[in-house]
Amino acid sequence: MSRELRLTVFGAGYLGITHAACMASLGFEVLGVDTNAARVGQLNAGHLPIYEPGLEEFLRAGLDAGRLQFTSSYPEAAAFGDVHFICTGTPQQPGSDRADLSQVHGCVAALAPLLDRPCLVVGKSTVPVGTARRLAGEIAEACPGAELAWNPEFLREGSAVADTLAPDRIVAGVTSGRAEQILRQVYARPLAGGASLVVTSLETAELAKAAANAFLATKISFVNAMAEICEAAGGDVRDLAQILGADPRIGPAFLRAGLGYGGGCLPKDIRAFVARAEELGASASLAFLREVDAINLRRRARTADLAQELAGGNLTGVPVCVLGAAFKPGSDDVRDSPALDVAQILTGMGARVTVYDPAALDNARRARPELSYASTLAIAAQGAHVVLLLTEWPEFTALTPGRLGGLVARRNMIDARNALDPVPWQEAGWEYRALGVAEEAAARARLDASSW
Ligand code: UGA
């Protein structure tokens, strides 16, 4: 295999575009591949079809340097690459908890017969354990010099470039020393920068991704379960999370209580993990993840109920302003968005909902055309009886009670992300409610502030 490896990246989604552009920035020649010709054209013209801070600059730098290009031709990709990365999506199957692997299988089925020289196929997509072993057989059968490795990706949307170029750890699921050496060559720069490499079996590599996302989801649902208890018992989950997080054995990350997790990864990955455990006869081991999912979904219903309470028990015809559509700030992704789910539930309860988001409006309109949207925050808030902060964009957390108070008809705020300081809002006459903070605890905060 040549010293200067040439890379292909299959699938031009969040993962594939980021991986292709970042690998080009490391000096590799990279060919991105996607069956969507329009998307290929857009990428070759330097236009990023997704919202990801900093990525467009990397895309353009790669194109300008002549190191990065996109194609929809599999034969071209097979002829080009020494290392083929599979970054296609694995969404949840409609009507089932399982992952839909059709894109991954389709990619390997199309690529394998075209391979005619030694190469490494590297899976990065999130797949149920056992998938890689089957794909490895298909690839080895199609081309004796080709082999498969599994190298799961841990990047987060919103910090995808930094996560790719400076990961905490790189997992190399391999079946030969040669595959390990090739991955060491590909990731030489991040490894020199301090990332650790864990060399393991294909199965452990697949499980590493599922387990990491399951743990993150569990941590969020744990703190949200504590939020439910705080609401029932008169506690304040923000203080509780601070106390828990100060213990280095627990740590503060992923303990932000509120509306819970969404997106294209955590929700579907834990469901697919449970479904796979059931197939393996190990369903008891992951049964707790069903509760993690249930806690997460309960937060959405609870948020809508709080809005109804603040509206005096009936939402019929009540103008409601929803701030946020993206599943988290820094992203335009609305897949399994908690914010849009709440907007939908409120609409079902009879409210006249208007949604605003600084980046995700186009995607939201496509995903939920039945909801009403406003192109500015001011239009969305005008005349509202209840405002719900559902995605903690800086534009929302920087809002002042006076400015927003000048737009709304009634000063009712639900801070479903615990992103605002309640005191100024309460002092400005807002009825302020947060998830995980009992009404009495919120009132105490007001009293404490006034006694100073
Ligand atoms: C997640 C993982 O963090 C990545 O490591 C993984 O690579 C990725 O999934 C994936 O499987 O591809 P991502 O979905 O981009 O990344 O977003 P996160 O930052 O993990 O946030 C997920 C959700 O949890 C968001 O809706 C966020 O608002 C919510 N969250 C996060 C909380 O509700 N509380 C917290 O304390 C943290």
Side-chain angles (χ1 to χ4, degrees):
M1 196 168 287
S2 73
R3 194 185 55 81
E4 282 180 16
L5 298 171
R6 299 206 298 181
L7 317 182
T8 71
V9 178
F10 289 81
Y14 285 93
L15 170 58
I17 300 172
T18 308
H19 193 65
C22 287
M23 291 301 112
S25 83
L26 293 177
F28 293 105
E29 278 186 59
V30 183
L31 186 60
V33 192
D34 199 286
T35 46
N36 180 339
R39 181 165 278 224
V40 164
Q42 208 179 345
L43 287 162
N44 278 331
H47 301 304
L48 194 60
I50 52 169
Y51 176 99
E52 181 59 45
L55 184 54
E56 195 160 86
E57 288 78 351
F58 275 74
L59 169 70
R60 291 195 174 164
L63 294 169
D64 291 347
R67 280 199 298 272
L68 177 61
Q69 246 206 311
F70 292 85
T71 182
S72 45
S73 163
Y74 271 60
E76 192 188 336
F80 179 90
D82 304 304
V83 183
H84 303 283
F85 287 97
I86 298 177
C87 297
T88 50
T90 54
Q92 187 173 337
Q93 273 177 25
S96 156
D97 282 349
R98 290 196 182 83
D100 172 358
L101 296 178
S102 57
Q103 292 179 52
V104 170
H105 284 309
C107 178
V108 171
L111 176 66
L114 299 170
L115 300 175
D116 58 2
R117 63 190 160 94
C119 63
L120 185 66
V121 179
V122 183
K124 290 189 83 63
S125 307
T126 301
V127 293
V129 60
T131 307
R133 190 66 61 183
R134 282 199 306 280
L135 295 177
E138 268 179 57
I139 287 164
E141 199 175 312
C143 174
E147 67 176 296
L148 182 87
W150 213 259
N151 166 226
E153 180 56 58
F154 300 101
L155 67 80
R156 294 159 297 174
E157 288 178 26
S159 53
V161 171
D163 289 350
T164 302
L165 292 175
D168 316 305
R169 75 290 207 198
I170 295 167
V171 175
V174 293
T175 55
S176 77
R178 172 176 160 271
E180 177 189 336
Q181 284 320 312
I182 293 171
L183 286 174
R184 282 188 185 278
Q185 210 175 325
V186 168
Y187 292 119
R189 193 97 73 81
L191 290 172
S196 59
L197 182 79
V198 184
V199 180
T200 182
S201 66
L202 296 176
E203 287 75 14
T204 304
E206 292 167 308
L207 283 169
K209 177 59 188 275
N213 276 0
F215 191 82
L216 293 172
T218 302
K219 216 173 165 192
I220 298 170
S221 277
F222 179 86
V223 81
N224 282 335
M226 294 306 110
E228 291 183 342
I229 299 293
C230 283
E231 285 163 17
D236 184 329
V237 76
R238 292 166 304 193
D239 294 342
L240 187 63
Q242 192 187 345
I243 296 161
L244 290 173
D247 182 333
R249 293 170 302 174
I250 298 174
F254 277 69
L255 279 186
R256 270 184 294 108
L259 188 49
Y261 59 82
C265 303
L266 262 46
K268 61 105 177 156
D269 285 353
I270 68 161
R271 291 175 198 145
F273 201 13
V274 173
R276 184 64 185 132
E278 283 167 1
E279 287 170 359
L280 291 167
S283 52
S285 310
L286 295 188
F288 74 96
L289 286 179
R290 291 223 180 272
E291 195 51 39
V292 166
D293 196 11
I295 294 166
N296 192 54
L297 295 177
R298 277 207 297 273
R299 294 286 76 192
R300 302 179 189 187
R302 170 69 182 143
T303 302
D305 287 346
L306 259 183
Q308 190 169 38
E309 274 174 40
L310 281 192
N314 186 356
L315 277 170
T316 309
V318 173
V320 169
C321 167
V322 160
L323 297 180
F327 83 103
K328 69 171 186 182
S331 169
D332 68 348
D333 196 343
V334 298
R335 287 177 293 171
D336 205 332
S337 162
L340 287 184
D341 257 7
V342 172
Q344 193 94 53
I345 298 170
L346 291 168
T347 304
M349 291 162 103
R352 285 197 290 117
V353 178
T354 307
V355 181
Y356 169 71
D357 188 284
L361 280 181
D362 288 347
N363 284 343
R365 280 197 178 97
R366 268 192 293 273
R368 313 246 188 163
E370 62 282 10
L371 294 173
S372 296
Y373 300 93
S375 55
T376 68
L377 190 156
I379 298 172
Q382 193 66 49
H385 287 195
V386 183
V387 178
L388 294 100
L389 196 167
L390 303 184
T391 310
E392 66 279 32
W393 283 100
E395 180 179 346
F396 303 153
T397 57
L399 277 170
T400 59
R403 183 179 159 226
L404 197 60
L407 297 168
V408 299
R410 296 197 188 155
R411 296 189 169 204
N412 289 313
M413 166 62 78
I414 295 177
D415 178 6
R417 292 292 180 181
N418 283 299
L420 301 172
D421 175 1
V423 174
W425 291 82
Q426 291 164 337
E427 283 177 354
W430 284 76
E431 191 62 44
Y432 169 92
R433 302 289 290 278
L435 288 184
V437 185
E439 209 177 342
E440 313 85 78
R444 266 202 305 278
R446 189 163 57 227
L447 276 178
D448 291 350
S450 63
S451 67
W452 280 94

